[in-house]
Amino acid sequence: IAGGLGLLYDRAGSDRYLGGVYAQGSGYWYAVGALIDETGNDVYNTVYYPQGSGIHLANGFLFDGAGDDAYYSRMGPGQGAAHDWALGMFVDAGGNDAYSIPGGNGLALTNSVAIFVDKSGDDRYERKEVQNHGSANFTRSTGGIGLFLDAGGKDAYPDTLAANDKIWQQGTYGVGRDIDLNKITKSAIEELAASSALPDSTNSIEDIFAAASEWEVGSAVQRVRVAR
């Protein structure tokens, strides 16, 4: 019978997920399948249509919150993929991760929407495949949307199409982007404070006392603390 809801939730620990077809956060024929793993160095290993895939008017979702994870599938599509009026979504929120799949990472087949997001970490994407990293097909007089986003870290890709700090396009409405959204920037006040001259042992006691007597605000914070 078509339809249903399947959910797997794991709060912590380094886990090993082994599956076959339609596994690890996948939905099939009017169903919803979800896998949520909050933390741990996890291994995901399966065969076909896995890891955040929606197939035939269904929804699939995989979320991994943290950890150095490895995602492997012998066959695609998967890892944020969708087929036949479906939605597939994959989100990895942190860690240095490895991905290996021949056709996935935001792959929309046959009028579907597929979303792949890796929020941070130095990640490795394996397997040179035309339909990896944001790709969509135009079929039955209708397109799809395939989105790939890597939002931080120094990442390794198997070909020259995708690269750090780059945007690319594949198929009809297939888009990939690697961009660092996690840069730590200093405010103007912090930059000024960092460049301010600090008192040291060569300063006279009068100069050190004068610096210690300043208001400990704005650009003077670091200098006042050292003087005190």
Side-chain angles (χ1 to χ4, degrees):
I1 300 175
L5 170 64
L7 170 65
L8 188 158
Y9 172 78
D10 185 271
R11 182 178 180 183
S14 297
D15 309 300
R16 183 175 178 84
Y17 298 98
L18 300 177
V21 181
Y22 310 119
Q24 301 167 6
S26 294
Y28 181 72
W29 279 118
Y30 303 103
V32 176
L35 190 159
I36 300 172
D37 187 297
E38 288 197 10
T39 187
N41 301 324
D42 307 308
V43 176
Y44 299 83
N45 191 335
T46 187
V47 180
Y48 192 58
Y49 280 138
Q51 301 160 7
S53 294
I55 313 299
H56 301 310
L57 300 100
N59 297 334
F61 177 68
L62 188 153
F63 174 83
D64 191 291
D68 298 335
D69 308 305
Y71 301 91
Y72 174 77
S73 178
R74 276 173 273 174
M75 300 176 65
Q79 296 176 9
H83 170 60
D84 191 24
W85 307 107
L87 169 65
M89 188 170 184
F90 177 107
V91 179
D92 187 291
N96 302 323
D97 309 304
Y99 299 94
S100 180
I101 190 169
N105 312 132
L107 168 60
L109 295 171
T110 319
N111 322 126
S112 295
V113 175
I115 301 171
F116 174 97
V117 178
D118 186 293
K119 294 179 67 176
S120 65
D122 298 332
D123 308 305
R124 184 177 75 253
Y125 297 95
E126 302 177 352
R127 300 200 197 184
K128 187 175 181 179
E129 170 63 45
V130 174
Q131 293 184 312
N132 274 10
H133 316 132
S135 182
N137 293 340
F138 189 91
T139 55
R140 302 189 297 204
S141 302
T142 307
I145 299 175
L147 301 177
F148 171 96
L149 174 65
D150 189 297
K154 296 180 180 179
D155 310 301
Y157 294 92
D159 54 41
T160 56
L161 175 68
N164 283 291
D165 304 317
K166 183 179 178 182
I167 186 169
W168 58 90
Q169 185 269 334
Q170 296 188 98
T172 305
Y173 312 123
V175 177
R177 184 161 193 188
D178 185 299
I179 184 173
D180 193 350
L181 298 178
N182 307 303
K183 290 181 178 178
I184 300 175
T185 59
K186 293 182 179 180
S187 67
I189 292 295
E190 290 172 328
E191 292 284 1
L192 185 60
S195 62
S196 264
L198 300 178
D200 57 35
S201 58
T202 63
N203 291 104
S204 67
I205 189 63
E206 290 82 5
D207 291 338
I208 295 175
F209 185 82
S213 302
E214 295 178 22
W215 286 100
E216 191 179 345
V217 295
S219 62
V221 170
Q222 191 175 5
R223 181 173 65 256
V224 172
R225 288 178 181 176
V226 171
R228 288 178 179 172

